[in-house]
Amino acid sequence: MGAQDVLTRKTGVITGDDVMKLFQHARENKYAIPAINVTSSSTVVAALEAARDKKSPIILQTSQGGAAYFAGKGVSNDTPHKQFASIQGAIAAAHYIRAIAPAYGIPVVLHTDHCAHKLLPWLDGMLDADEAYFKEHGEPLFSSHMIDLSEEPKDENIKTTAKYLERAAPMKQWLEMEIGITGGEEDGVNNEDVDNASLYTQPEDIYDVYSALSAISPYFSIAAAFGNVHGVYKPGNVKLHPELLQKHQKYAKEKIGGSDEKPLFLVFHGGSGSTKQEFSDAISYGVVKVNLDTDLQWAYLTGIRDYVLTKKDYIKTQVGNPDGEDKPNKKYFDPRVWVREGEKTMSARVQEALIDFNTANQL
Ligand SMILES: O=C(CO)COP(=O)(O)O
Ligand SMILES: O=C[C@H](O)COP(=O)(O)O
Ligand SMILES: [Zn+2]
Ligand SMILES: [Zn+2]
């Protein structure tokens, strides 16, 4: 049975029970859905096109910075209130994605990324929009959000995350949380020198999260750190231990005492630069979502870079190129031509991820 067979809404942005059913389908069929950081309509369509062509579901997410970029760098994030641009940008992205996703014929999870403690006003603003949308449409605007209090003490992380899950639960909205730290940089915070132990979450901590959150709602997932790092570094610098995830599942199963071999929904952050083996190991241990950003930023650039380099003599002036000094260059400098080259290379890289994560042909 394909993913669309288990969904009530088969195309466009899905919410509530459909999100649960999609993640269950992924866990059972051993695939993970790539979560793509989108910053513009152009990166949205590049991701959607790849998912459509590979017959896959997809997750589109904005980070706090990506959401502000969606609003436009000229919009303030301080006035008239904190996180103004990030809230408005995320809402704009959500409406755009909701409107265009059905045209691609695939199910889409609309998500937001990270959100450290200092950024909670961003999450609050989006939840206000979710509740307003819920009143009108019976579902939240976003399928899901992430809250990332991984840099706070464990009790504080779990307590505050639980509070947010209580707010999301009546809307059957999914919440992703993080415990153990993702290295590299996120939300503008540099975690490159974080102590090694916090890069690897322990099974007891995961179970504490599970027991606190499952008492509130079943709609949650855990980004457990197993050496993950944002960004791409020289080979050998990042030491992933996906086998830790298997320990988490075993420990949780023993504690819960049910027959479910993989009771947890797990999330893999820092997907860029990881190996196919690391992906398939992690997915076999219950990872249902893999975040991929840096490799796609790079892929998007390469198409535009190569276009500019190969067409350089056609884009120096509006008129005049190697074919004749009176030749117009309009068809070379039209953004629909050169931005499209970035979309093509980004889309091809998303397709590669869909194959690596075993998501292709799962619809
Ligand atoms: O985890 C990510 C976004 O939350 C993406 O990480 P990468 O940029 O390393 O792919
Ligand atoms: O957190 C990781 C993602 O790559 C988002 O990064 P960002 O804060 O630069 O948008
Ligand atoms: Zn984090
Ligand atoms: Zn991340």
Side-chain angles (χ1 to χ4, degrees):
M1 209 167 20
Q4 277 172 320
D5 297 319
V6 301
L7 301 177
T8 56
R9 183 179 296 154
K10 298 176 193 304
T11 69
V13 169
I14 61 168
T15 56
D17 288 327
D18 276 341
V19 175
M20 170 63 88
K21 283 188 193 135
L22 181 60
F23 284 139
Q24 279 170 339
H25 188 265
R27 198 169 53 181
E28 277 158 24
N29 294 281
K30 294 206 168 85
Y31 66 92
I33 307 162
I36 312 300
N37 283 75
V38 292
T39 51
S40 61
S41 63
S42 172
T43 47
V44 166
V45 298
L48 289 175
E49 196 174 335
R52 179 198 66 194
D53 292 349
K54 285 286 166 217
K55 300 182 177 51
S56 306
I58 196 86
I59 301 171
L60 302 183
Q61 61 188 21
T62 54
S63 67
Q64 179 264 352
Y69 189 85
F70 224 113
K73 288 297 272 184
V75 178
S76 169
N77 229 343
D78 298 309
T79 50
H81 55 73
K82 275 191 197 161
Q83 298 299 323
F84 179 67
S86 293
I87 294 166
Q88 294 309 121
I91 292 171
H95 285 290
Y96 171 67
I97 292 167
R98 275 184 169 272
I100 203 66
Y104 287 80
I106 51 161
V108 174
V109 175
L110 177 59
H111 183 67
T112 60
D113 197 20
H114 288 283
C115 196
H117 189 269
K118 65 169 191 274
L119 304 180
L120 286 176
W122 176 46
L123 184 51
D124 295 333
M126 292 190 291
L127 283 165
D128 290 343
D130 284 315
E131 285 165 352
Y133 197 89
F134 186 82
K135 261 193 195 149
E136 222 176 301
H137 304 278
E139 61 181 283
L141 178 60
F142 295 85
S143 315
S144 53
H145 295 292
M146 180 176 183
I147 182 168
D148 180 1
L149 305 178
S150 57
E151 297 189 49
E152 313 305 317
K154 181 176 104 176
D155 291 351
E156 170 66 29
N157 181 351
I158 295 178
K159 207 174 91 194
T160 309
T161 300
K163 216 180 71 195
Y164 277 89
L165 188 60
E166 272 163 14
R167 191 168 169 194
M171 298 184 281
K172 290 192 170 182
Q173 189 179 43
W174 195 275
L175 189 65
E176 175 185 336
M177 67 84 69
E178 177 168 324
I179 185 155
I181 289 177
T182 306
E185 184 173 318
E186 76 192 28
D187 289 339
V189 177
N190 194 316
N191 281 337
E192 269 163 42
D193 297 319
V194 85
D195 88 281
N196 203 50
S198 49
L199 294 177
Y200 303 93
T201 316
Q202 295 309 305
E204 296 78 9
D205 294 341
I206 298 289
Y207 183 70
D208 287 345
V209 171
Y210 178 87
S211 60
L213 299 188
S214 61
I216 300 164
S217 161
Y219 306 102
F220 68 92
S221 49
I222 305 173
F226 54 99
N228 318 62
V229 175
H230 291 130
V232 173
Y233 302 88
K234 254 175 74 182
N237 278 18
V238 176
K239 296 220 170 6
L240 286 184
H241 287 283
E243 70 283 359
L244 266 175
L245 303 177
Q246 188 179 33
K247 284 194 181 165
H248 301 333
Q249 296 284 14
K250 277 195 174 148
Y251 188 84
K253 177 193 176 327
E254 275 165 29
K255 285 285 203 180
I256 298 163
S259 60
D260 199 347
E261 291 296 323
K262 290 185 282 185
L264 309 167
F265 292 104
L266 298 169
V267 180
F268 184 145
H269 277 252
S272 298
S274 305
T275 64
K276 290 186 205 312
Q277 190 62 48
E278 286 163 340
F279 289 130
S280 53
D281 288 350
I283 291 165
S284 73
Y285 306 141
V287 160
V288 293
K289 171 177 182 274
V290 178
N291 286 10
L292 197 62
D293 185 20
T294 308
D295 277 357
L296 300 177
Q297 294 179 323
W298 174 248
Y300 191 81
L301 172 72
T302 58
I304 296 174
R305 178 201 63 194
D306 293 348
Y307 178 86
V308 169
L309 293 177
T310 53
K311 295 285 188 292
K312 71 178 181 357
D313 294 330
Y314 293 78
I315 56 175
K316 283 180 176 159
T317 50
Q318 282 210 51
V319 179
N321 63 41
D323 305 331
E325 61 180 26
D326 56 346
K327 297 281 186 209
N329 290 325
K330 184 171 161 54
K331 66 173 182 293
Y332 297 101
F333 61 74
D334 182 335
R336 289 171 295 183
V337 176
W338 56 270
V339 173
R340 177 64 183 152
E341 293 303 312
E343 291 171 3
K344 283 191 215 163
T345 42
M346 175 173 163
S347 204
R349 182 63 186 85
V350 175
Q351 288 203 23
E352 196 183 312
L354 290 164
I355 294 165
D356 291 349
F357 306 167
N358 191 31
T359 340
N361 298 314
Q362 293 286 356
L363 288 188

